[in-house]
């Protein structure tokens, strides 16, 4: 894991041309062989429910399965990456746009008919070339997981291995979509009319991309101040933002650095890289806070914990800590103290944030419900695109394209981790406010609790156990709905 993580860090931060992963897998072949998988299955099945052995075995088994499933799919992945890197779309004025850059181009295109034309060209290409590749990958992955025989089908085996209830989460998503429907119906038409000058019946997914690209507040988030200001906040919480030098900030511009920020835990907890290529504005603050949450989590994990508690576990947990930090961008006190957003603009900023949060959550709920049906095998592959369009369009109010039904799928239910992280983050935030006040983010007592009680545990505990520690009886969307309601009337 250290070698893979280091290779990933070097390649994606622009220090190296490519990540040479095959030799690492070859060198450690035995760790990911049939025998290792059988051993992990046996350990999992024989450990007593609720014991520490069961936790260890669960995380190790999940890791074995994920990593082993990736092996037979590697050739498909390589083919897809090659395709993505070489495909292009032609805009109506004849310009050639790299496939990977199309979403950014769509978001930045102010002229609506051009925007729709680029998206139509994109969808045509996806339908013909990208979607069939992804469909094949999904089918093969489903077959592989089911062939291991942990449970009778893909969804049951995911539940058995991870301990996450897909059906429970699905009911919560349905409830959230129902509960927030009128809030969404009240908000969306106004925003569409004001920002894009269109009616709800006309709204397409490409319009959503353009809508959320808005740079209206970027001047309040100067790039030059970002690192200093965010470090200052963490210090005011009584926490060393570098965790005693274990976190290395790599946030300068460098050729070959990925556009998307990431956190590379090369040695947990001793060597953690936070990598960001600055683009400027509000979005950088958001990603920096998010990745810092991950970095602090890895760098403050207990060094004496076994591998599986430091490296593996339920990623809903690490995502929730990342979200706890990035959600400071919805916190009036934080914004006023650490950014140049002043009192007179704060209301509008928060209303916009509430709108985005609600859109994003509704999209993720619908996406998860769709993915659950996809993996259930209950709906034939040929009919999935129609279901995708009806679920996603219904939840967001933006019309989705059937071509994206196999492309817009998170591998191995990462959507469920995000949704659970969202829930846990809101539980933690409410608890921190209750216990340490609104400005817990600059309270050393809060910092002590966060580091000592939560971050130090790595991912040993489940999201439910951590919620319980913060006084919540269960994970749910209720605190999120409450928060969004407040933001929308800020
Ligand atoms: Zn994350």
């Amino acid at each position: 894991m250290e070698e893979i993580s280091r290779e990933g860090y070097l390649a994606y931060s622009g220090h190296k041309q490519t990540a040479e992963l095959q030799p690492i897998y070859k060198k450690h072949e035995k760790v990911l062989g049939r025998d290792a998988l059988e051993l992990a299955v046996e350990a999992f099945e024989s450990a007593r429910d609720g014991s520490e052995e069961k936790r260890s075995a669960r995380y190790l088994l999940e890791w074995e399965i994920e990593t082993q499933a990736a092996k037979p799919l590697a050739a498909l992945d390589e083919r897809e990456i090659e395709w993505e890197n070489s495909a292009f779309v032609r805009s109506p004025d004849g310009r050639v746009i790299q496939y990977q850059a199309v979403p950014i181009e769509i978001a930045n295109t102010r002229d609506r008919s051009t925007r729709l034309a680029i998206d139509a060209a994109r969808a045509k290409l996806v339908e013909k070339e990208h979607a069939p590749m992804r469909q094949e990958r999904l089918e093969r992955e489903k077959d592989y997981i089911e062939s291991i025989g942990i449970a009778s089908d893909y969804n049951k085996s995911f539940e058995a291995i991870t301990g996450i209830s897909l059906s429970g989460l699905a009911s919560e998503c349905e409830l959230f979509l129902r509960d927030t429907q009128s809030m969404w119906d009240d908000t969306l038409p106004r925003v569409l009319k004001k920002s894009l000058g269109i009616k709800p019946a006309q709204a397409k997914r490409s319009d959503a991309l353009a809508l959320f690209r808005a740079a209206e507040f970027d001047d309040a988030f100067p790039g030059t101040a970002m690192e200093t200001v965010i470090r200052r906040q963490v210090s005011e919480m009584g926490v060393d933002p570098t965790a005693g030098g274990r976190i290395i900030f790599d946030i300068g511009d460098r050729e070959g650095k990925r556009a998307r920020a990431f956190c590379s835990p090369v040695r947990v907890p001793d060597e953690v890289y936070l990598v960001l290529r600055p683009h400027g504005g509000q979005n950088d603050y958001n990603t920096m806070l998010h990745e810092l949450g991950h970095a602090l989590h890895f760098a403050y994990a207990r060094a004496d914990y076994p591998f599986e508690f430091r490296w593996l576990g339920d990623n809903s947990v690490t995502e929730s800590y990342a979200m706890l930090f990035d959600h400071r961008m919805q916190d009036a006190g934080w914004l006023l103290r650490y950014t140049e957003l002043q009192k007179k603009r704060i209301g509008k900023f928060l209303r916009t944030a509430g709108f985005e949060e609600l859109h994003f959550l509704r999209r993720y709920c619908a996406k998860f419900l769709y993915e659950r049906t996809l993996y259930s095998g209950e709906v034939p592959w040929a009919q999935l695109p129609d279901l995708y369009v009806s679920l996603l369009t219904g939840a967001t109010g933006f019309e989705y394209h059937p071509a994206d039904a196999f492309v817009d799928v998170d591998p191995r239910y990462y959507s469920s981790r995000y949704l659970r992280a969202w829930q846990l983050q809101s539980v933690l935030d409410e608890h921190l406010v209750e216990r340490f006040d609104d400005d817990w983010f600059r309270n050393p007592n809060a910092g002590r609790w966060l580091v000592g009680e939560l971050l130090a545990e790595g991912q040993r505990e489940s999201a439910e156990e951590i919620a319980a520690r913060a006084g919540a009886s269960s994970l749910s969307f209720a605190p999120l709905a409450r928060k969004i309601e407040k933001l929308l009337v800020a």
Side-chain angles (χ1 to χ4, degrees):
M1 289 294 272
E2 288 183 5
E3 286 172 44
I4 289 169
S5 193
R6 188 180 300 284
E7 200 60 23
Y9 164 65
L10 292 173
Y12 302 140
S13 64
H15 284 297
K16 245 186 113 172
Q17 278 283 331
T18 52
E20 288 162 78
L21 299 174
Q22 292 310 323
I24 300 172
Y25 283 109
K26 186 97 196 104
K27 185 171 147 200
H28 301 285
E29 209 164 42
K30 274 198 173 155
V31 182
L32 296 168
R34 192 73 218 178
D35 287 353
L37 180 62
E38 273 165 24
L39 194 69
V41 172
E42 208 182 283
F44 178 69
E45 283 174 349
S46 63
R48 193 171 44 82
D49 279 340
S51 64
E52 286 301 289
E53 289 72 27
K54 189 81 174 184
R55 285 179 197 278
S56 287
R58 176 188 295 290
Y59 298 153
L60 287 166
L61 175 61
E62 196 183 346
W63 175 64
E64 280 288 342
I65 289 177
E66 301 253 320
T67 325
Q68 301 222 19
K71 276 196 292 186
L73 300 171
L76 294 182
D77 287 341
E78 279 170 22
R79 180 184 69 172
E80 187 186 343
I81 292 168
E82 213 180 301
W83 182 86
E84 283 177 306
N85 286 337
S86 59
F88 63 86
V89 163
R90 209 173 277 280
S91 77
D93 54 7
R95 273 178 317 122
V96 168
I97 309 163
Q98 293 295 323
Y99 181 71
Q100 306 262 39
V102 172
I104 302 166
E105 184 75 23
I106 290 174
N108 286 333
T109 304
R110 294 285 117 193
D111 177 63
R112 186 160 187 264
S113 62
T114 312
R115 186 160 75 226
L116 297 185
I118 299 172
D119 194 47
R122 180 202 64 86
K124 212 171 140 193
L125 178 70
V126 169
E127 189 162 20
K128 197 163 142 263
E129 298 184 19
H130 200 182
M133 276 188 256
R134 285 298 280 271
Q135 186 184 334
E136 185 185 350
R137 194 194 187 282
L138 288 165
E139 288 185 39
R140 292 264 295 271
E141 191 214 343
K142 186 171 184 299
D143 290 347
Y144 177 80
I145 297 289
E146 288 174 350
S147 77
I148 300 172
I150 300 279
S152 57
D153 65 26
Y154 188 94
N155 284 349
K156 287 197 188 75
S157 82
F158 182 88
E159 290 187 321
I161 299 161
T162 62
I164 293 173
S165 165
L166 295 173
S167 51
L169 186 56
S171 326
E172 286 163 34
C173 286
E174 280 162 359
L175 185 69
F176 179 80
L177 287 171
R178 258 203 317 275
D179 283 352
T180 56
Q181 187 67 52
S182 64
M183 222 194 306
W184 188 237
D185 291 341
D186 284 346
T187 318
L188 181 65
R190 256 185 295 134
V191 176
L192 287 176
K193 187 160 179 248
K194 223 172 145 215
S195 305
L196 298 172
I198 57 172
K199 291 197 182 75
Q202 298 171 287
K204 310 261 188 226
R205 192 187 175 196
S206 50
D207 293 320
L209 292 181
L211 188 63
F212 295 120
R213 176 69 191 84
E216 187 187 343
F217 300 100
D218 274 357
D219 61 295
F221 299 89
T224 44
M226 180 173 75
E227 189 184 347
T228 320
V229 126
I230 291 176
R231 277 184 186 232
R232 176 159 69 89
Q233 183 249 295
V234 177
S235 304
E236 286 179 352
M237 205 170 46
V239 177
D240 176 359
T242 73
R246 299 191 295 276
I247 299 174
I248 299 116
F249 290 79
D250 180 351
I251 61 171
D253 200 14
R254 183 181 304 119
E255 177 137 7
K257 203 187 234 189
R258 285 275 166 113
R260 203 182 154 154
F262 61 95
C263 168
S264 263
V266 171
R267 287 183 299 137
V268 183
D270 293 319
E271 187 184 352
V272 179
Y273 293 89
L274 188 164
V275 188
L276 184 143
R277 189 169 192 177
H279 304 284
Q282 180 185 337
N283 211 26
D284 279 355
Y285 276 61
N286 211 75
T287 19
M288 169 103 182
L289 286 163
H290 183 94
E291 299 307 328
L292 184 60
H294 284 308
L296 291 168
H297 182 210
F298 286 119
Y300 280 108
R302 280 173 56 165
D304 62 345
Y305 266 172
F307 162 72
E308 59 272 25
F309 296 157
R310 283 177 296 130
W311 282 86
L312 311 178
D314 176 4
N315 280 341
S316 316
V317 173
T318 194
E319 293 301 345
S320 81
Y321 299 147
M323 285 189 189
L324 185 63
F325 278 84
D326 73 42
H327 275 62
R328 287 323 94 215
M329 294 288 280
Q330 298 176 5
D331 182 326
W334 192 95
L335 290 162
L336 289 171
R337 188 172 174 89
Y338 301 108
T339 75
E340 288 172 26
L341 202 66
Q342 281 151 7
K343 250 202 160 106
K344 57 180 192 317
R345 288 168 90 193
I346 201 109
K348 191 170 184 214
F349 182 85
L350 293 176
R351 288 193 298 278
T352 309
F355 171 76
E356 285 185 22
E357 178 90 338
L358 185 54
H359 169 262
F360 222 38
L361 258 166
R362 291 181 60 87
R363 169 175 143 75
Y364 255 82
C365 284
K367 203 164 125 66
F368 171 74
L369 291 171
Y370 165 70
E371 287 173 3
R372 182 165 168 261
T373 307
L374 181 149
Y375 282 119
S376 76
E378 283 159 14
V379 173
W381 292 92
Q383 287 169 27
L384 285 169
D386 286 344
L387 178 70
Y388 170 77
V389 170
S390 89
L391 282 172
L392 273 291
T393 306
T396 64
F398 294 97
E399 192 188 336
Y400 274 61
H401 206 292
D404 295 318
F406 302 123
V407 177
D408 187 17
V409 173
D410 285 358
R412 291 288 286 153
Y413 280 122
Y414 212 78
S415 53
S416 73
R417 315 276 185 188
Y418 275 132
L419 287 165
R420 286 158 54 81
W422 240 311
Q423 297 178 329
L424 180 55
Q425 165 273 135
S426 64
V427 165
L428 294 175
D429 190 26
E430 284 196 345
H431 180 71
L432 282 158
V433 168
E434 197 179 298
R435 195 158 156 191
F436 303 105
D437 239 329
D438 282 343
D439 58 351
W440 59 262
F441 51 78
R442 61 184 191 98
N443 182 340
N445 290 324
R448 212 169 0 253
W449 181 76
L450 190 67
V451 169
E453 295 285 314
L454 305 184
L455 305 187
E457 291 299 307
Q459 279 192 143
R460 189 182 70 85
E461 292 178 308
S462 69
E464 285 83 358
E465 287 171 309
I466 296 168
R469 220 193 243 266
S473 53
S474 65
L475 285 173
S476 81
F477 290 113
L480 279 162
R482 278 199 291 276
K483 175 81 184 292
I484 292 168
E485 238 179 307
K486 263 197 238 159
L487 287 171
L488 288 175
V489 297

